[in-house]
């Protein structure tokens, strides 16, 4: 299953190398899950695997000291959105839970790039350069998900001066959940509200060793070991921790959040495609004899996966050209989440009763697939984003009429 992009020699080399590394992830997948289930209250580090290391290295901008990634005669020091999608898809084909447990700045980095000043970026990436470290992006809250309008985490100042952010420290209070690598991370980007208005969403850089911060792993049925929670009890945030202070007020919060999440949603979509591909190929390799109707079902899975994969890469191209447009990334995310769940469940049915017991890897993928729904906004959030985009663009123009019509 090739895409037009794969005809690019450099991108094809990256995909080929990532596909080889993905096999290493898969070989550790079940052991990693068992480890997380037996010690779900203990923070553990994932094994140092080549693909996880590459993802960590490539999440840092080129200007920071870090090793290059070699792939079939090509040298990579950072990635664009297209290369990021390729790596994410192939890593999820190996194992999505280990992908989400990768070190580096895979989720928080895009927000820091969009909203951070040069000094803030240096502080954030400087904590990662030259060593293995984890960061996290904290948006989701219990009861509200990633709905910015319903967010309850608060960023307040004891003596508020509405004219400036420059000289006042802030206090951060709230609770975040379903946060990737929350219990492993040493640095976080946390979203909170300074008020109820549309410009009152703000992001802060936070050292998770600060007083008032509590982090814990979150036991889950799928994506074991990947997610956690953050408690924020009157955590002091200095003025230099406020992302976007150097930007106009309209670009300090929601603008940067949308730009970053558009990229992250294409990554989540690529993850769903990778899981679906893995389930399809598992059936193809383990059911060598199929009835005509079973072959038709498997062919249908292949066609659906190819269609969503193409949609995902179209969305990647859209945000590379127009980072503020969130329509296609949201469509791709909804489609890929549904694809991953549907495909893994259907793949289990190829093996009859007891399939989850007899095929533990396929069972794991089915549970992991459900987690894609909650990454970077649920399908309901994505549909709101799609609606808002279409509503802003207005109704489609009427077709031209011919003479006499």
């Amino acid at each position: 299953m090739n895409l037009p992009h794969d005809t690019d020699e450099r991108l094809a080399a990256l995909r080929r190398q990532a596909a080889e590394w993905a096999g290493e992830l898969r070989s550790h997948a079940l052991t990693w899950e068992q480890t997380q289930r037996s010690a779900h209250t203990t923070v553990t580090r994932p094994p140092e695997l080549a693909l996880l290391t590459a993802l960590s290295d490539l999440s840092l901008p080129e200007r920071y000291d870090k090793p290059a990634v070699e792939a079939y005669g090509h040298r990579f020091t950072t990635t664009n959105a297209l290369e990021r999608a390729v790596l994410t898809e192939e890593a999820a084909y190996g194992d999505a839970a280990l992908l989400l447990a990768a070190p580096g700045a895979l989720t928080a980095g895009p927000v820091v790039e969009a909203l951070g000043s040069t000094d803030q970026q240096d502080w954030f990436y400087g904590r990662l350069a030259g060593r293995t470290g984890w960061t996290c992006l904290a948006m989701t809250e219990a009861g509200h998900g990633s709905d910015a309008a319903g967010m309850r985490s608060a960023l307040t100042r004891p003596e508020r001066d509405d004219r400036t952010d420059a000289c006042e420290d802030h206090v951060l209070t709230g609770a975040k959940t379903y946060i990737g690598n929350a219990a492993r991370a040493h640095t976080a980007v946390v979203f909170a509200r300074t008020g109820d208005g549309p410009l009152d969403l703000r992001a802060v850089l936070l050292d998770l060793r600060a007083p008032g911060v509590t982090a814990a792993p979150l036991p889950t049925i799928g994506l074991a070991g990947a997610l956690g929670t953050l408690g924020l009890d009157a955590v002091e945030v200095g003025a230099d921790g406020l992302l976007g202070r150097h930007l106009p007020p309209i670009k300090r919060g929601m603008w940067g959040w949308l730009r970053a999440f558009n990229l992250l949603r294409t990554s989540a979509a690529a993850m769903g495609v990778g899981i679906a591909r893995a389930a399809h190929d598992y059936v193809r390799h383990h059911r060598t004899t199929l009835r005509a109707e079973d072959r038709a079902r498997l062919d249908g899975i292949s066609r659906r996966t190819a269609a969503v994969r193409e949609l995902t890469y179209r969305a990647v191209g859209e945000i590379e050209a127009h980072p503020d447009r969130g329509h296609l990334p949201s469509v791709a995310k909804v489609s890929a989440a549904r694809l991953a769940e549907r495909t893994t469940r259907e793949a289990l049915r190829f093996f009859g009763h007891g399939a989850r017991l007899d095929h533990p890897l396929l069972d794991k993928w089915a549970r992991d697939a459900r987690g894609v729904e909650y990454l970077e906004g649920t399908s309901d959030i994505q549909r709101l984003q799609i609606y808002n985009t279409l509503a802003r663009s207005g109704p489609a123009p009427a077709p031209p009429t011919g003479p006499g019509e």
Side-chain angles (χ1 to χ4, degrees), residues 225-243:
L227 305 176
T229 62
L230 287 179
L232 307 163
D233 183 11
V235 182
E236 293 185 4
V237 179
D240 56 356
L242 287 173
L243 288 167

Side-chain angles (χ1 to χ4, degrees), residues 9 31 57 71 98 111 145 185 188 201 211 240 299 306 316 319 342 350 370 374 378 384:
E9 181 182 350
T31 301
D57 292 339
L98 277 167
V111 180
L201 181 69
D240 56 356
D299 289 344
V316 170
I319 63 166
R342 179 179 177 182
F350 277 91
R370 180 58 183 165
Y374 299 97
T378 64
L384 284 173

Side-chain angles (χ1 to χ4, degrees), residues 288-301 303 350:
T288 55
T289 58
L290 292 171
R291 296 174 299 177
E293 56 267 33
D294 290 333
R295 286 196 300 272
R297 286 168 55 204
L298 195 58
D299 289 344
I301 292 174
R303 288 191 298 272
F350 277 91

Side-chain angles (χ1 to χ4, degrees), residues 395-403 405:
T401 57
E405 294 184 353

Side-chain angles (χ1 to χ4, degrees), residues 157-171:
R157 289 185 290 191
E159 296 180 3
R160 186 174 178 84
D161 180 354
D162 290 326
R163 295 170 299 174
T164 178
D165 284 332
C167 300
E168 298 282 352
D169 288 343
H170 288 66
V171 174

